[in-house]
Short mmCIF file of all heavy atoms in Angstrom, two decimals:
data_model
loop_
_atom_site.label_atom_id
_atom_site.label_comp_id
_atom_site.label_asym_id
_atom_site.label_seq_id
_atom_site.Cartn_x
_atom_site.Cartn_y
_atom_site.Cartn_z
N SER A 181 -15.46 5.73 8.72
CA SER A 181 -16.55 6.20 9.56
C SER A 181 -17.27 5.02 10.19
O SER A 181 -17.76 4.13 9.48
CB SER A 181 -17.54 7.03 8.71
OG SER A 181 -18.67 7.40 9.46
N ILE A 182 -17.31 4.98 11.51
CA ILE A 182 -18.03 3.93 12.23
C ILE A 182 -19.43 4.45 12.57
O ILE A 182 -19.57 5.51 13.17
CB ILE A 182 -17.27 3.55 13.52
CG1 ILE A 182 -15.91 2.96 13.18
CG2 ILE A 182 -18.08 2.57 14.35
CD1 ILE A 182 -15.03 2.68 14.38
N PRO A 183 -20.49 3.74 12.17
CA PRO A 183 -20.51 2.42 11.55
C PRO A 183 -20.70 2.44 10.04
O PRO A 183 -20.98 1.40 9.45
CB PRO A 183 -21.73 1.77 12.21
CG PRO A 183 -22.70 2.92 12.33
CD PRO A 183 -21.86 4.15 12.61
N ARG A 184 -20.56 3.60 9.37
CA ARG A 184 -20.90 3.71 7.96
C ARG A 184 -19.99 2.89 7.06
O ARG A 184 -20.46 2.08 6.27
CB ARG A 184 -20.87 5.17 7.51
CG ARG A 184 -21.96 6.04 8.11
CD ARG A 184 -21.91 7.42 7.50
NE ARG A 184 -22.22 7.40 6.07
CZ ARG A 184 -21.84 8.34 5.20
NH1 ARG A 184 -21.09 9.35 5.63
NH2 ARG A 184 -22.19 8.25 3.94
N GLY A 185 -18.67 3.13 7.13
CA GLY A 185 -17.75 2.42 6.27
C GLY A 185 -16.61 3.29 5.80
O GLY A 185 -16.07 4.10 6.56
N PHE A 186 -16.26 3.18 4.52
CA PHE A 186 -15.05 3.79 3.96
C PHE A 186 -15.44 4.82 2.92
O PHE A 186 -16.28 4.56 2.05
CB PHE A 186 -14.16 2.70 3.37
CG PHE A 186 -13.87 1.61 4.37
CD1 PHE A 186 -14.69 0.49 4.45
CD2 PHE A 186 -12.80 1.72 5.24
CE1 PHE A 186 -14.45 -0.51 5.38
CE2 PHE A 186 -12.55 0.73 6.18
CZ PHE A 186 -13.37 -0.38 6.25
N LEU A 187 -14.78 6.00 2.99
CA LEU A 187 -15.22 7.13 2.18
C LEU A 187 -14.09 7.80 1.43
O LEU A 187 -12.92 7.71 1.81
CB LEU A 187 -15.91 8.17 3.08
CG LEU A 187 -17.11 7.70 3.89
CD1 LEU A 187 -16.68 7.41 5.32
CD2 LEU A 187 -18.23 8.72 3.87
N MET A 188 -14.48 8.50 0.34
CA MET A 188 -13.58 9.30 -0.48
C MET A 188 -14.18 10.69 -0.68
O MET A 188 -15.40 10.83 -0.70
CB MET A 188 -13.37 8.65 -1.86
CG MET A 188 -12.54 7.40 -1.85
SD MET A 188 -10.80 7.81 -1.53
CE MET A 188 -10.05 6.18 -1.76
N PRO A 189 -13.34 11.72 -0.87
CA PRO A 189 -13.89 13.04 -1.14
C PRO A 189 -14.40 13.21 -2.57
O PRO A 189 -15.21 14.08 -2.85
CB PRO A 189 -12.70 13.97 -0.87
CG PRO A 189 -11.50 13.13 -1.08
CD PRO A 189 -11.90 11.75 -0.66
N ASN A 190 -13.91 12.36 -3.48
CA ASN A 190 -14.26 12.44 -4.90
C ASN A 190 -15.28 11.36 -5.22
O ASN A 190 -15.00 10.17 -5.12
CB ASN A 190 -12.99 12.26 -5.74
CG ASN A 190 -13.22 12.45 -7.22
OD1 ASN A 190 -14.23 12.00 -7.77
ND2 ASN A 190 -12.28 13.11 -7.88
N SER A 191 -16.50 11.76 -5.62
CA SER A 191 -17.55 10.77 -5.87
C SER A 191 -17.23 9.87 -7.06
O SER A 191 -17.62 8.69 -7.07
CB SER A 191 -18.90 11.49 -6.11
OG SER A 191 -18.82 12.37 -7.21
N LEU A 192 -16.52 10.38 -8.07
CA LEU A 192 -16.13 9.55 -9.20
C LEU A 192 -15.11 8.49 -8.77
O LEU A 192 -15.16 7.34 -9.22
CB LEU A 192 -15.55 10.41 -10.33
CG LEU A 192 -16.54 11.28 -11.10
CD1 LEU A 192 -15.80 12.12 -12.14
CD2 LEU A 192 -17.62 10.44 -11.77
N GLU A 193 -14.18 8.88 -7.90
CA GLU A 193 -13.20 7.92 -7.40
C GLU A 193 -13.88 6.86 -6.54
O GLU A 193 -13.52 5.68 -6.59
CB GLU A 193 -12.12 8.64 -6.60
CG GLU A 193 -10.96 7.73 -6.22
CD GLU A 193 -9.71 8.50 -5.81
OE1 GLU A 193 -9.79 9.74 -5.66
OE2 GLU A 193 -8.65 7.86 -5.66
N ALA A 194 -14.87 7.26 -5.76
CA ALA A 194 -15.62 6.30 -4.96
C ALA A 194 -16.33 5.29 -5.87
O ALA A 194 -16.33 4.09 -5.60
CB ALA A 194 -16.65 7.03 -4.08
N ALA A 195 -16.91 5.77 -6.96
CA ALA A 195 -17.61 4.88 -7.89
C ALA A 195 -16.64 3.90 -8.55
O ALA A 195 -16.97 2.72 -8.75
CB ALA A 195 -18.34 5.70 -8.96
N THR A 196 -15.45 4.37 -8.89
CA THR A 196 -14.45 3.49 -9.51
C THR A 196 -13.95 2.46 -8.52
O THR A 196 -13.73 1.29 -8.87
CB THR A 196 -13.29 4.33 -10.09
OG1 THR A 196 -13.81 5.18 -11.12
CG2 THR A 196 -12.22 3.44 -10.69
N ASP A 197 -13.78 2.83 -7.26
CA ASP A 197 -13.41 1.86 -6.23
C ASP A 197 -14.49 0.79 -6.09
O ASP A 197 -14.20 -0.40 -5.93
CB ASP A 197 -13.18 2.55 -4.89
CG ASP A 197 -11.84 3.27 -4.82
OD1 ASP A 197 -11.02 3.06 -5.72
OD2 ASP A 197 -11.64 4.04 -3.86
N MET A 198 -15.76 1.20 -6.14
CA MET A 198 -16.86 0.24 -6.07
C MET A 198 -16.83 -0.71 -7.26
O MET A 198 -17.09 -1.92 -7.12
CB MET A 198 -18.20 0.98 -6.01
CG MET A 198 -18.49 1.61 -4.67
SD MET A 198 -20.18 2.25 -4.51
CE MET A 198 -20.04 3.79 -5.41
N ALA A 199 -16.49 -0.19 -8.44
CA ALA A 199 -16.40 -1.04 -9.63
C ALA A 199 -15.31 -2.09 -9.46
O ALA A 199 -15.48 -3.25 -9.87
CB ALA A 199 -16.12 -0.17 -10.86
N MET A 200 -14.18 -1.72 -8.84
CA MET A 200 -13.10 -2.68 -8.59
C MET A 200 -13.55 -3.75 -7.60
O MET A 200 -13.23 -4.93 -7.76
CB MET A 200 -11.86 -1.96 -8.07
CG MET A 200 -11.09 -1.20 -9.13
SD MET A 200 -9.47 -0.69 -8.49
CE MET A 200 -8.77 0.05 -9.98
N MET A 201 -14.28 -3.34 -6.58
CA MET A 201 -14.77 -4.31 -5.61
C MET A 201 -15.73 -5.31 -6.26
O MET A 201 -15.73 -6.50 -5.91
CB MET A 201 -15.46 -3.59 -4.45
CG MET A 201 -14.52 -2.79 -3.57
SD MET A 201 -15.39 -1.79 -2.34
CE MET A 201 -16.33 -3.04 -1.46
N ASP A 202 -16.51 -4.84 -7.20
CA ASP A 202 -17.51 -5.71 -7.86
C ASP A 202 -16.86 -6.85 -8.65
O ASP A 202 -17.49 -7.89 -8.84
CB ASP A 202 -18.38 -4.88 -8.81
CG ASP A 202 -19.40 -4.02 -8.06
OD1 ASP A 202 -19.66 -4.30 -6.89
OD2 ASP A 202 -19.93 -3.08 -8.68
N ILE A 203 -15.62 -6.66 -9.13
CA ILE A 203 -14.99 -7.70 -9.95
C ILE A 203 -14.00 -8.54 -9.15
O ILE A 203 -13.33 -9.41 -9.70
CB ILE A 203 -14.29 -7.09 -11.17
CG1 ILE A 203 -13.08 -6.25 -10.74
CG2 ILE A 203 -15.25 -6.28 -12.03
CD1 ILE A 203 -12.08 -5.98 -11.85
N ALA A 204 -13.88 -8.28 -7.85
CA ALA A 204 -12.88 -8.95 -7.02
C ALA A 204 -13.51 -10.05 -6.15
O ALA A 204 -14.62 -9.89 -5.64
CB ALA A 204 -12.16 -7.95 -6.14
N ASP A 205 -12.78 -11.14 -5.98
CA ASP A 205 -13.21 -12.19 -5.06
C ASP A 205 -13.01 -11.77 -3.61
O ASP A 205 -13.68 -12.27 -2.71
CB ASP A 205 -12.41 -13.47 -5.31
CG ASP A 205 -12.66 -14.05 -6.69
OD1 ASP A 205 -13.78 -13.90 -7.21
OD2 ASP A 205 -11.72 -14.64 -7.26
N ARG A 206 -12.07 -10.84 -3.39
CA ARG A 206 -11.72 -10.43 -2.04
C ARG A 206 -11.32 -8.96 -2.04
O ARG A 206 -10.62 -8.50 -2.95
CB ARG A 206 -10.56 -11.30 -1.54
CG ARG A 206 -10.08 -11.00 -0.14
CD ARG A 206 -9.04 -12.02 0.33
NE ARG A 206 -7.88 -12.08 -0.53
CZ ARG A 206 -6.73 -12.67 -0.21
NH1 ARG A 206 -6.61 -13.28 0.96
NH2 ARG A 206 -5.70 -12.68 -1.05
N THR A 207 -11.77 -8.21 -1.01
CA THR A 207 -11.45 -6.78 -0.90
C THR A 207 -10.63 -6.52 0.36
O THR A 207 -11.03 -6.89 1.46
CB THR A 207 -12.73 -5.92 -0.85
OG1 THR A 207 -13.43 -6.06 -2.10
CG2 THR A 207 -12.39 -4.45 -0.64
N ILE A 208 -9.48 -5.85 0.17
CA ILE A 208 -8.59 -5.50 1.27
C ILE A 208 -8.48 -3.98 1.32
O ILE A 208 -8.18 -3.34 0.32
CB ILE A 208 -7.17 -6.09 1.07
CG1 ILE A 208 -7.24 -7.58 0.66
CG2 ILE A 208 -6.32 -5.87 2.31
CD1 ILE A 208 -7.80 -8.49 1.71
N ILE A 209 -8.72 -3.40 2.49
CA ILE A 209 -8.56 -1.97 2.69
C ILE A 209 -7.24 -1.71 3.43
O ILE A 209 -6.98 -2.32 4.47
CB ILE A 209 -9.72 -1.36 3.50
CG1 ILE A 209 -11.05 -1.56 2.78
CG2 ILE A 209 -9.46 0.13 3.76
CD1 ILE A 209 -11.21 -0.77 1.50
N LEU A 210 -6.42 -0.81 2.88
CA LEU A 210 -5.14 -0.45 3.48
C LEU A 210 -5.23 1.00 3.96
O LEU A 210 -5.38 1.91 3.14
CB LEU A 210 -4.01 -0.58 2.45
CG LEU A 210 -3.94 -1.89 1.68
CD1 LEU A 210 -2.84 -1.82 0.61
CD2 LEU A 210 -3.70 -3.07 2.61
N THR A 211 -5.14 1.23 5.26
CA THR A 211 -5.30 2.59 5.77
C THR A 211 -4.69 2.75 7.14
O THR A 211 -4.78 1.84 7.98
CB THR A 211 -6.80 2.97 5.82
OG1 THR A 211 -6.94 4.31 6.24
CG2 THR A 211 -7.58 2.05 6.74
N ASP A 212 -4.04 3.88 7.38
CA ASP A 212 -3.45 4.09 8.70
C ASP A 212 -4.48 4.61 9.70
O ASP A 212 -5.58 5.02 9.32
CB ASP A 212 -2.25 5.05 8.61
CG ASP A 212 -2.66 6.45 8.24
OD1 ASP A 212 -3.18 7.17 9.11
OD2 ASP A 212 -2.46 6.84 7.07
N HIS A 213 -4.11 4.61 10.97
CA HIS A 213 -5.08 4.89 12.04
C HIS A 213 -5.63 6.32 12.02
O HIS A 213 -6.70 6.57 12.57
CB HIS A 213 -4.42 4.63 13.41
CG HIS A 213 -3.43 5.67 13.82
ND1 HIS A 213 -2.11 5.64 13.45
CD2 HIS A 213 -3.57 6.81 14.56
CE1 HIS A 213 -1.48 6.68 13.96
NE2 HIS A 213 -2.35 7.41 14.63
N THR A 214 -4.92 7.25 11.37
CA THR A 214 -5.40 8.64 11.36
C THR A 214 -6.69 8.80 10.57
O THR A 214 -7.41 9.79 10.76
CB THR A 214 -4.34 9.58 10.76
OG1 THR A 214 -4.12 9.27 9.38
CG2 THR A 214 -3.01 9.46 11.51
N LYS A 215 -7.01 7.85 9.70
CA LYS A 215 -8.20 7.98 8.85
C LYS A 215 -9.49 7.79 9.64
O LYS A 215 -10.57 8.14 9.15
CB LYS A 215 -8.13 6.96 7.70
CG LYS A 215 -6.87 7.09 6.85
CD LYS A 215 -6.75 8.46 6.23
CE LYS A 215 -5.41 8.66 5.55
NZ LYS A 215 -5.11 7.70 4.50
N TRP A 216 -9.40 7.26 10.88
CA TRP A 216 -10.59 7.11 11.71
C TRP A 216 -11.02 8.45 12.30
O TRP A 216 -12.12 8.56 12.82
CB TRP A 216 -10.33 6.11 12.83
CG TRP A 216 -10.66 4.69 12.50
CD1 TRP A 216 -11.77 3.98 12.89
CD2 TRP A 216 -9.86 3.78 11.73
NE1 TRP A 216 -11.71 2.70 12.39
CE2 TRP A 216 -10.55 2.54 11.68
CE3 TRP A 216 -8.65 3.88 11.05
CZ2 TRP A 216 -10.06 1.43 11.00
CZ3 TRP A 216 -8.16 2.79 10.38
CH2 TRP A 216 -8.86 1.58 10.35
N SER A 217 -10.16 9.47 12.22
CA SER A 217 -10.48 10.76 12.81
C SER A 217 -10.83 11.81 11.75
O SER A 217 -10.92 12.99 12.05
CB SER A 217 -9.30 11.27 13.65
OG SER A 217 -8.14 11.42 12.85
N SER A 218 -11.01 11.38 10.49
CA SER A 218 -11.36 12.31 9.43
C SER A 218 -12.69 11.92 8.80
O SER A 218 -13.25 10.87 9.13
CB SER A 218 -10.26 12.35 8.36
OG SER A 218 -10.13 11.08 7.74
N THR A 219 -13.19 12.75 7.91
CA THR A 219 -14.45 12.44 7.24
C THR A 219 -14.37 12.84 5.77
O THR A 219 -13.49 13.60 5.37
CB THR A 219 -15.64 13.13 7.92
OG1 THR A 219 -16.86 12.65 7.36
CG2 THR A 219 -15.57 14.64 7.72
N SER A 220 -15.26 12.29 4.96
CA SER A 220 -15.28 12.57 3.52
C SER A 220 -16.72 12.52 3.03
O SER A 220 -17.64 12.17 3.77
CB SER A 220 -14.43 11.55 2.75
OG SER A 220 -13.08 11.63 3.12
N LEU A 221 -16.89 12.81 1.75
CA LEU A 221 -18.22 12.97 1.18
C LEU A 221 -18.87 11.66 0.75
O LEU A 221 -20.03 11.40 1.06
CB LEU A 221 -18.14 13.91 -0.03
CG LEU A 221 -19.44 14.16 -0.78
CD1 LEU A 221 -20.41 14.96 0.08
CD2 LEU A 221 -19.16 14.89 -2.09
N SER A 222 -18.11 10.80 0.04
CA SER A 222 -18.73 9.69 -0.69
C SER A 222 -18.35 8.32 -0.14
O SER A 222 -17.17 7.95 -0.10
CB SER A 222 -18.34 9.76 -2.17
OG SER A 222 -18.76 10.97 -2.75
N LEU A 223 -19.34 7.55 0.26
CA LEU A 223 -19.14 6.18 0.73
C LEU A 223 -18.89 5.26 -0.45
O LEU A 223 -19.64 5.28 -1.42
CB LEU A 223 -20.37 5.72 1.50
CG LEU A 223 -20.31 4.33 2.13
CD1 LEU A 223 -19.45 4.36 3.38
CD2 LEU A 223 -21.71 3.83 2.47
N PHE A 224 -17.82 4.44 -0.39
CA PHE A 224 -17.60 3.47 -1.45
C PHE A 224 -17.67 2.03 -0.96
O PHE A 224 -17.79 1.10 -1.77
CB PHE A 224 -16.27 3.72 -2.17
CG PHE A 224 -15.03 3.39 -1.36
CD1 PHE A 224 -14.49 2.12 -1.36
CD2 PHE A 224 -14.39 4.39 -0.63
CE1 PHE A 224 -13.35 1.82 -0.63
CE2 PHE A 224 -13.25 4.11 0.10
CZ PHE A 224 -12.73 2.83 0.10
#
Side-chain angles (χ1 to χ4, degrees):
S181 174
I182 297 174
R184 292 185 65 203
F186 306 91
L187 303 100
M188 288 289 186
N190 185 319
S191 59
L192 289 178
E193 188 162 9
T196 297
D197 283 349
M198 285 189 281
M200 285 192 176
M201 291 173 58
D202 285 343
I203 67 162
D205 296 328
R206 180 173 58 166
T207 296
I208 313 295
I209 299 291
L210 310 175
T211 183
D212 67 77
H213 74 274
T214 65
K215 303 301 172 58
W216 270 257
S217 60
S218 63
T219 188
S220 297
L221 178 68
S222 300
L223 183 76
F224 71 88

